[in-house]
Amino acid sequence: MGKLSILSIALLLLLQRNVDAAIFEKEQQVKAVFEQMETDVLAFADEIERVYQNRCDIETLNQCGRSNFNDCTSTYPNQMCMDSSEMLVSACGSGSNGCNALWDKTQTAVRIPARLANGQGGNPSDDDLVESICYSRLAEPYMIKNNQDGNQMYYGSATGSLRIIPAQHSEVCGLYDPRRRPWFVAASSGPKDVVIVMDVSGSMEDYGRMELAKQSARTI
């Protein structure tokens, strides 16, 4: 084998070694990101579990009625213009002027589906829903402290409430239900094989029953 061939093989081996090293480094970086995400999520879950234990405290209930901001009618006290490079709301344009939407990083906001806002002043009347809003408010200091720029932190309950930071007004009020989101369904039920049996008799055409059944099947 000539010197040129040996040199070519050596260069190829060196190149492959560099490529392998670069791939390994990227894999380690990705692994570190996922490990940090897992750590953060578990810590947040511990915090939610902690505040849940205090859901019946009188002080918790007293503060709850005066201190929750919702995503439709509240005026956030410290809202500011969010740079489009940090967080982009498509409905507000491209943010080419340097500002895309108003956010408040010092407050959490509560979102509930419109059908649950059936009490006085658009407040919920369901006791379990009210309770979830009240005890999750105790996690607000943790969420403010640990939320990172350019990200959102949120907690969705089985009662239909969502607490989120930064606080921002929704594009359309009352549409968001965390229980219908893929992340909630996956976390609460886990992967499984499901067989759905639907009634296709003539009565299903009455009152939009078939369409409602299809929507429910898609949600599941």
Side-chain angles (χ1 to χ4, degrees):
M1 183 179 296
K3 293 184 178 179
L4 183 59
S5 298
I6 295 175
L7 179 59
S8 298
I9 293 174
L11 289 174
L12 287 173
L13 290 175
L14 180 60
L15 178 60
Q16 183 63 46
R17 185 180 301 171
N18 291 337
V19 170
D20 291 343
I23 293 175
F24 178 78
E25 183 179 358
K26 290 294 183 182
E27 290 176 344
Q28 293 302 110
Q29 291 175 355
V30 171
K31 181 180 178 181
V33 169
F34 278 106
E35 288 178 346
Q36 185 60 52
M37 289 175 62
E38 182 178 6
T39 299
D40 293 343
V41 169
L42 291 175
F44 189 27
D46 289 341
E47 175 65 12
I48 293 297
E49 185 174 347
R50 182 191 70 80
V51 300
Y52 179 77
Q53 304 303 319
N54 299 319
R55 65 191 183 282
C56 297
D57 291 355
I58 296 299
E59 187 64 20
T60 298
L61 299 175
N62 287 339
Q63 292 181 4
C64 177
R66 303 190 301 269
S67 305
N68 284 291
F69 294 87
N70 68 48
D71 67 322
C72 293
T73 60
S74 294
T75 299
Y76 306 127
N78 298 301
Q79 62 183 11
M80 59 181 292
C81 184
M82 185 78 76
D83 189 275
S84 58
S85 63
E86 184 174 353
M87 199 171 291
L88 187 67
V89 179
S90 58
C92 297
S94 63
S96 56
N97 60 352
C99 181
N100 180 253
L102 294 176
W103 305 73
D104 190 339
K105 299 180 181 180
T106 68
Q107 301 289 336
T108 60
V110 173
R111 299 178 185 176
I112 60 174
R115 66 182 180 280
L116 299 181
N118 52 7
Q120 184 178 4
N123 290 306
S125 59
D126 180 77
D127 290 340
D128 291 333
L129 176 55
V130 172
E131 181 184 80
S132 70
I133 294 173
C134 288
Y135 74 71
S136 66
R137 182 190 169 275
L138 299 177
E140 186 175 67
Y142 178 93
M143 296 173 73
I144 294 172
K145 178 181 178 181
N146 290 278
N147 183 58
Q148 300 177 4
D149 288 346
N151 294 310
Q152 293 177 300
M153 179 182 288
Y154 46 83
Y155 163 68
S157 76
T159 61
S161 68
L162 180 86
R163 184 172 293 277
I164 185 170
I165 188 172
Q168 180 220 2
H169 293 114
S170 294
E171 297 173 24
V172 181
C173 295
L175 286 184
Y176 194 90
D177 188 336
R179 298 168 298 182
R180 295 178 177 270
R181 304 303 300 164
W183 57 265
F184 188 94
V185 174
S188 59
S189 63
K192 57 176 64 72
D193 295 326
V194 178
V195 176
I196 300 176
V197 180
M198 298 178 61
D199 184 0
V200 294
S201 63
S203 62
M204 290 296 289
E205 298 301 327
D206 298 335
Y207 309 108
R209 292 170 180 166
M210 179 57 74
E211 186 57 33
L212 290 174
K214 290 179 179 179
Q215 291 179 8
S216 298
R218 295 190 190 101
T219 299
I220 294 172

